Amino acid sequence: MTAPTDTPQLKFRDQFESAVDSVRSEGRYRIFRDIRRKRGAFPQATWFKDGLDEQDITVWCSNDYLGMGQNECVVEAVKSAVDAAGTGSGGTRNISGTTRYHVQLEAELADLHDKEASLVFTSGYVANEAALSTMSKILPGLHIFSDEKNHASMISGIRNARTHKHIFAHNDLASLEEKLKAVPLEAPKLIAFESVYSMDADIAPIEAFCDLADRYNALTYIDEVHAVGMYGPRGGGICEQRGLMDRIDIIQGTLAKAYGMIGGYIAADRVIVDAIRSLASGFIFTTSVPPSTAAGALRSVKILKISSELREQHQERSNALKDRFRASGYPFIDGETHIVPLMIGDPVKCQAISDRLIEEFGIYAQPINFPTVPRGTERLRFTPSPFHTDAMMDELMNALSVVWDEFELDRVQAA
């Protein structure tokens, strides 16, 4: 018998290709840069162009904000844990995957946020998705109030909670209160928002949100992934910086940005953590992070708890780049955070500028297009670190001057 030629793969291939072609035509096809970071030389890296040719580059878009992924003490902690315990954890947290490293890390994170307990997940995305999707199992009839610019992981978790959801305008107190008023006071409620919004470089009015939560009988859930390690005397985030940790019921963070590792977590009252630990599928059925990852994260958290030097250097470098952008008239979001988004406003030009910068100048700045940001607000998102020198900034400014004129982009007149 002759095998059929019209296999399911061939039958649907055109539709898969059409889906990709549609993304390409809109200028938002995502290119993965094949790079290898140079240990001890952050933010320098090697770019493997087309997988063959090697080119030295400077990375300007890393979320390893403080370079802790290159920190010698953190690297040594990872190596020591591999030597002592091997590589993988060997199971879920319930089935042999809870190691001494996990227990110590969770104790350290709980202390960081002045909470009774914490729970480590395999990523920040999983932490949000798992925790938020579980809340309706714990609180039947729950109403979740979500900022319209919340991260995709929060949106996914809220959607999967399959409960009442209300979307309020970004950082808008009046919008939130209007929606809270429409729900009976005795109904269970949760307000979910971020502290630092990474694409717009702004910060939520956390204290005012907490006031509304008190007034309308709501729990508070904050995503601090772009703030933990970065703000506060011990790196506890914006909530620590502003003395508000006791007013937040559930704090979610990541180990993959300022701490230079991988993984996410929540910190809260012991009963809240225990309930999520017991009911969240995204936690229960996932192999735990390797012991070496937990050990590296533990070391990184401890270092940033006792030293603010890197945080101070980081803020200085961020402000230095903003000063240069401002003086040159570049249209960037001049926010109060460490993130510096340079606005392009066109997906095709945004990708082309990124290509030009890396190919001709060895400067890696990833384009940020829809759906990460709204159409027409495409941008290059710069994240200067304590290790981006003045010379690196000079190289960046010289390169931007060339490509800005080349692509006929406007500059902003000084006030």
Side-chain angles (χ1 to χ4, degrees), residues 245-274:
M245 286 197 296
D246 63 321
R247 301 195 64 189
I248 298 292
D249 295 296
I250 304 173
I251 295 175
Q252 184 267 345
T254 186
L255 305 169
K257 294 180 171 60
Y259 296 120
M261 295 298 298
I262 184 66
Y265 65 90
I266 60 166
D269 177 274
R270 190 174 304 281
V271 174
I272 292 176
V273 171
D274 199 23

Side-chain angles (χ1 to χ4, degrees), residues 58 98 100 102 157 159 169 192 231 281 372:
T58 300
T98 295
R100 185 61 186 156
H102 295 84
R159 181 188 301 117
Y231 299 89
S281 295
T372 305

Side-chain angles (χ1 to χ4, degrees), residues 95-170:
I95 306 175
S96 82
T98 295
T99 72
R100 185 61 186 156
Y101 303 101
H102 295 84
V103 173
Q104 290 177 317
L105 175 58
E106 287 175 344
E108 198 72 31
L109 291 168
D111 176 77
L112 174 67
H113 295 292
D114 198 21
K115 299 295 185 185
E116 290 182 347
S118 80
L119 192 66
V120 171
F121 296 78
T122 51
S123 73
Y125 189 106
V126 173
N128 270 333
E129 202 283 332
L132 286 167
S133 66
T134 305
M135 297 306 294
S136 59
K137 298 178 185 176
I138 302 167
L139 301 168
L142 175 67
H143 290 257
I144 300 180
F145 300 81
S146 175
D147 189 289
E148 66 177 345
K149 289 194 175 182
N150 277 343
H151 190 265
S153 58
M154 300 178 76
I155 294 170
S156 178
I158 293 167
R159 181 188 301 117
N160 290 337
R162 297 177 182 174
T163 191
H164 309 288
K165 66 177 180 180
H166 311 267
I167 311 301
F168 61 90
H170 179 53

Side-chain angles (χ1 to χ4, degrees), residues 15-336:
Q15 289 172 265
F16 284 97
E17 289 184 342
S18 177
V20 175
D21 288 342
S22 176
V23 173
R24 286 185 187 275
S25 68
E26 295 177 20
R28 58 186 184 91
Y29 182 75
R30 300 188 178 204
I31 296 172
F32 294 170
R33 303 294 187 190
D34 181 358
I35 71 171
R36 182 178 63 215
R37 303 202 300 173
K38 297 181 179 179
R39 179 184 163 195
F42 182 81
Q44 294 176 327
T46 300
W47 174 37
F48 295 88
K49 185 177 181 181
D50 301 322
L52 298 173
D53 297 332
E54 297 183 16
Q55 180 178 334
D56 291 335
I57 62 170
T58 300
V59 180
W60 278 95
C61 54
S62 175
N63 282 342
D64 187 0
Y65 292 135
L66 302 177
M68 292 301 287
Q70 308 284 306
N71 182 281
E72 285 296 330
C73 292
V74 174
V75 171
E76 183 55 39
V78 172
K79 287 182 175 181
S80 296
V82 170
D83 288 340
T87 53
S89 68
T92 64
R93 287 292 297 273
N94 183 53
I95 306 175
S96 82
T98 295
T99 72
R100 185 61 186 156
Y101 303 101
H102 295 84
V103 173
Q104 290 177 317
L105 175 58
E106 287 175 344
E108 198 72 31
L109 291 168
D111 176 77
L112 174 67
H113 295 292
D114 198 21
K115 299 295 185 185
E116 290 182 347
S118 80
L119 192 66
V120 171
F121 296 78
T122 51
S123 73
Y125 189 106
V126 173
N128 270 333
E129 202 283 332
L132 286 167
S133 66
T134 305
M135 297 306 294
S136 59
K137 298 178 185 176
I138 302 167
L139 301 168
L142 175 67
H143 290 257
I144 300 180
F145 300 81
S146 175
D147 189 289
E148 66 177 345
K149 289 194 175 182
N150 277 343
H151 190 265
S153 58
M154 300 178 76
I155 294 170
S156 178
I158 293 167
R159 181 188 301 117
N160 290 337
R162 297 177 182 174
T163 191
H164 309 288
K165 66 177 180 180
H166 311 267
I167 311 301
F168 61 90
H170 179 53
N171 284 348
D172 191 317
L173 294 170
S175 175
L176 173 58
E177 184 165 22
E178 179 185 9
K179 296 181 185 302
L180 286 166
K181 282 181 178 178
V183 176
L185 187 64
E186 66 275 10
K189 308 176 191 69
L190 183 144
I191 304 171
F193 56 98
E194 300 180 39
S195 58
V196 173
Y197 285 84
S198 66
M199 293 303 151
D200 294 316
D202 57 345
I203 296 175
I206 302 171
E207 184 172 15
F209 281 169
C210 290
D211 290 341
L212 288 178
D214 291 344
R215 190 177 309 158
Y216 293 97
N217 191 34
L219 295 169
T220 48
Y221 181 107
I222 192 168
D223 176 318
E224 285 252 52
V225 298
H226 292 278
V228 291
M230 308 289 296
Y231 299 89
R234 301 194 305 161
I238 299 295
C239 289
E240 184 192 30
Q241 183 190 60
R242 298 185 177 182
L244 298 170
M245 286 197 296
D246 63 321
R247 301 195 64 189
I248 298 292
D249 295 296
I250 304 173
I251 295 175
Q252 184 267 345
T254 186
L255 305 169
K257 294 180 171 60
Y259 296 120
M261 295 298 298
I262 184 66
Y265 65 90
I266 60 166
D269 177 274
R270 190 174 304 281
V271 174
I272 292 176
V273 171
D274 199 23
I276 293 172
R277 180 188 74 88
S278 300
L279 295 170
S281 295
F283 175 80
I284 295 170
F285 299 106
T286 301
T287 299
S288 62
V289 297
S292 56
T293 297
L298 175 63
R299 182 69 59 84
S300 188
V301 172
K302 284 185 173 182
I303 290 171
L304 292 178
K305 267 186 177 180
I306 63 175
S307 174
S308 61
E309 183 179 358
L310 279 176
R311 282 189 286 278
E312 293 167 0
Q313 292 173 352
H314 185 267
Q315 289 296 322
E316 186 278 326
R317 292 286 78 192
S318 177
N319 290 330
L321 183 61
K322 291 177 186 178
D323 288 343
R324 291 175 186 241
F325 277 9
R326 199 177 296 114
S328 297
Y330 290 123
F332 73 102
I333 298 178
D334 195 356
E336 54 183 322

Side-chain angles (χ1 to χ4, degrees), residues 354-373:
S354 175
D355 292 343
R356 183 97 164 87
L357 285 173
I358 195 169
E359 290 170 1
E360 299 298 325
F361 302 97
I363 291 171
Y364 178 24
Q366 186 71 12
I368 308 295
N369 295 333
F370 179 84
T372 305
V373 295

